[in-house]
Every structure is written in structure tokens, then in C-alpha cells.
Amino acid sequence: MKLNKRLLSGLCIALPLLATSVDALAAKVTLKLAHNLDQSHVVHQALAQMAKEVQEKSNGELKIRIYPSGQMGGPRETIELLQNDALDMTKASASEMESFVKEFSVFSAPYLFDNEEHFKKVLFGNVGKSITDKTQKNGFTVEASYVAGTRSFYAKKAINSPADMKGLKIRVVSTPTTNKLIELLGGSPAPIPFGEVYTALQQGVIDGAENNIPSYNQTRHVEVAKFYIEDQHTSVPDYLIISNKALAKLDDNQRQILAEAAKNSEVFQQKLWDEEVAKSRQEALNVGATFIQVDKQPFRDALKPLYDDFAKDPDLGKIIEEIKAESK
Ligand code: GCU
């Protein structure tokens, strides 16, 4: 009893001391974040906003330094840097995540979502989380998910139906799913990094590519591929990822500040997105783009066999069904 009392009073003195000393020791951390988008892109703006919030809320103890525009390479390179502990954070699209976690491939399933609401319900709901949770075995964590509208084809010549795509070389973020998507439409897929697409189009190495309107405009691909075909075949989100080694460098408070700021950046980015699509469309029109409204049904029909492939893999087939169930 005596001992307990002494122990207790000892602890009363020691614990607060310990707490203050841990506090005082809270290490200053600067996280390096690299991505391949332009600084005017809404995902960059959302990341910049997050960095600002993190710095303010941690009183400068936690900082995020952003390296935009592919300074450290494309997602393949930055994810590799992250896995080798040479980089802390990066941004990758679902297609780029597919080689680590196969479940991300479901976002390349054509015409899977009824509308934006259905897509957001999946991305930010339980199905989305069940997919992002799977990156733990690869040593990184998804901190935020960002909408990226719909991807459509753009080319040097007009395309009005899948028949017009026969023989065309189309750049894709190369995965088994995206490659097959192009092949089913009669084209041939070209695995060219994002930052090299402009030159490839200009030199005629490829005939076209596919992306959302902001990326089509901000990369200036519009200057060398004037026809944007609004077939809207896929909705492929972007993700902010952090290595688990970097997370381990943070204390609980810093980790929480980062998680909150990342969640807030999701909301901020969604708010900016629709406005950005309208603005980019106008800018593309101003430099001579032609937007073609196509009948999507022939594209839908031609791409149906992709669903047979998904159904063959029970894990993927299950997620596709779960996603469809979210549309009700
Ligand atoms: C979009 C997407 C990027 C992706 C790029 C690409 O811009 O937001 O994450 O890297 O497409 O096609 O490579």
C-alpha cells in the first residue's frame, strides 16, 4: 500500500514531465510529395491547400514540399521512389495502382457508373475503401481520393464511331485492361508516359490519346489533337498515397493533422472540378478544338467483352457487382 502510494505520487510527477518532454521532442518533419500534374491542375491546388493546412495546424512542425509537373518522373517512377524511401508521398491514378493491387482495375471497366453521383458513392464509400485498404501489403497508404471526371478519346482526326478507330495508335496508361479496351475498338495501344504524349502526337508517333478535358487542355495536347470525342468511356480517379515508412516518422498528432487535411483536400478538389471542366472546355475551344458528341452505344457494345474478363476473376467480378448495386 505504502509502495503503491509512493509509486502513484511518483507517476503524478513523472507523467506530465514525460508528456512535456515528448511534446518538446516532437520532431520537425518535412514530407516530400511529387506528382506529374501541372500546377494549374485542381489536384495540385488541392495538394497545395493540404500542405498549407498541415503546416498551420502543426505550427510548422509538419511540412509538405511539393514537386509538381513530373520533376521526379511519372507515377511509375515516383511510386518506386516511395517504395525505396527516397520519396514520402505521390499521386497515382487507379490505372497506375493496378499493377500493385488488381482491384483498382475495376475503374477501367467501361461505362460502369450511371453518373457522377454513383461514382462518388463508390469512390468515397465502403467499396472504395475496401479497394484502397489493400495497398497496405505494398507498404503504402491511400490518404485521399480525387475525382477525375470521365475519360474520352482525342485524336488528330474526327472519330464518330468505333469503326473510325480502326488502326489508330492510341496512348493509354498501359494496363492489361486499358490495352484490351483499345484493341476491342480496333486500335493499337501505345504505352507512352503522360509527359511525352505531346511530342508523340506532334511527331505522329501516335494518332490520339484519352483523358479528361482538364488534362487534355492543360497539357496542350489540344494543339496537336484537335478532335475531342465525348464518348466518356471510363471514370478513373486519382489517389494521394504516402509510404508507411513516412507515416512512421510522424507522431500521432501529426498523423491526425495530415489525415484531416487530406480529407479536406478531397472536398476542396471536388468543389473545383466541375468549374475546371467548363473552363478547360472553353480554353480548348478558343484554341480551335472540336468537341464531338458521339452515340455511346456502339462503344458500349464493342467494349462489353471486358466484362467477361472481370467476371472470370471472382474478386473482380464481386467488386463490379458491388459497384452496380450502389447505383440503386
Ligand atoms: C489524368 C490523371 C493522372 C494521370 C494522367 C495520365 O490526368 O489525373 O493521374 O497520370 O491522366 O493519363 O497519365
Side-chain angles (χ1 to χ4, degrees), residues 74-90:
R76 265 176 228 282
E77 290 83 27
T78 52
I79 294 179
E80 210 168 282
L81 288 173
L82 191 127
Q83 291 191 309
N84 293 326
D85 207 19
L87 182 68
D88 303 303
M89 303 171 89
T90 191

Side-chain angles (χ1 to χ4, degrees), residues 44-100:
H44 175 84
Q45 290 174 38
L47 296 172
Q49 167 79 13
M50 174 188 73
K52 192 167 161 257
E53 184 178 331
V54 159
Q55 180 157 350
E56 279 167 12
K57 288 198 175 150
S58 70
N59 298 319
E61 302 262 300
L62 181 58
K63 288 186 185 158
I64 299 174
R65 190 173 300 143
I66 307 180
Y67 301 84
S69 312
Q71 289 173 45
M72 293 203 191
R76 265 176 228 282
E77 290 83 27
T78 52
I79 294 179
E80 210 168 282
L81 288 173
L82 191 127
Q83 291 191 309
N84 293 326
D85 207 19
L87 182 68
D88 303 303
M89 303 171 89
T90 191
K91 179 259 353 153
S93 76
S95 300
E96 288 139 2
M97 302 281 267
E98 193 177 319
S99 55
F100 299 94

Side-chain angles (χ1 to χ4, degrees), residues 205-221:
V205 175
I206 51 173
D207 303 295
E210 49 89 59
N211 219 315
N212 52 51
I213 298 175
S215 285
Y216 170 58
N217 179 56
Q218 283 167 2
T219 50
R220 304 188 351 269
H221 294 174

Side-chain angles (χ1 to χ4, degrees), residues 112-121 150 235 326-327:
L112 178 56
F113 300 98
D114 292 349
N115 48 36
E116 206 181 317
E117 193 193 339
H118 179 202
F119 174 72
K120 285 185 186 172
K121 205 168 152 199
T150 50
S235 301
E326 291 282 353
S327 84

